[in-house]
Amino acid sequence: MSTPNGPTLAVLPTTKGETSVDRPQVLQPPGWPMPKGYSNGMMAEGRIVVTGGVVGWDSNGVFPADFLGQVRQTLANIVAILREGGAGPKHLVRLTWYVVDVEEYLADPKALGRIYREVIGAHYPAMAVVQVVRLVEKAARVEIEATAVAPR
């Protein structure tokens, strides 16, 4: 939907009993190419849930050896934090990924996408990926900050 003075909104499908205010709306400016695997912008109303930089360690502080294993665990850790705040993956409005090696991130996009969908689902908030020299946790290959907006 579009209004002369407002943003263009791509409304995500809702499930039975869910209203459009229960989840964020995608902002897609007219004429822009559709992004794949992320959204250009999101709009939501509710309670903000913010994570710190989340890494892919398990409850014992152990990291998977490979990048994709760390991504899976990092996303699962984010889901656990969201749950503590009364939110879920569908409430995400932003993810900022910090990776030690962007080539690892780009190496297998199909596997990365599959892992993302298995943990988060087919919900693609605004995202950015930033390569960094290193992360505080030396064994970490990826760290992700998340912002979600849970319904009131």
Side-chain angles (χ1 to χ4, degrees), residues 36-38 66-73 75-76 79 89 97 104-124 127:
K36 293 182 180 164
Y38 68 95
D66 66 308
F67 179 78
L68 292 175
Q70 287 194 23
V71 167
R72 178 185 299 281
Q73 186 63 52
L75 294 172
V79 170
W97 299 53
E104 282 183 313
Y105 176 85
L106 297 171
D108 193 349
K110 287 185 179 184
L112 183 62
R114 186 172 43 257
I115 289 167
Y116 180 92
R117 287 185 303 278
E118 287 171 3
V119 180
I120 302 297
H123 174 68
Y124 305 101
M127 287 191 222

Side-chain angles (χ1 to χ4, degrees), residues 23-84:
R23 61 186 318 149
Q25 293 177 312
V26 174
L27 303 178
Q28 177 64 25
W32 284 26
M34 288 299 293
K36 293 182 180 164
Y38 68 95
S39 296
N40 289 306
M42 303 290 286
M43 182 172 63
E45 186 176 321
R47 296 174 297 112
I48 296 175
V49 180
V50 179
T51 73
V54 179
V55 294
W57 54 23
D58 64 16
S59 59
N60 296 316
V62 177
F63 287 90
D66 66 308
F67 179 78
L68 292 175
Q70 287 194 23
V71 167
R72 178 185 299 281
Q73 186 63 52
T74 300
L75 294 172
N77 292 347
I78 288 169
V79 170
I81 294 167
L82 294 178
R83 191 173 25 249
E84 287 295 310

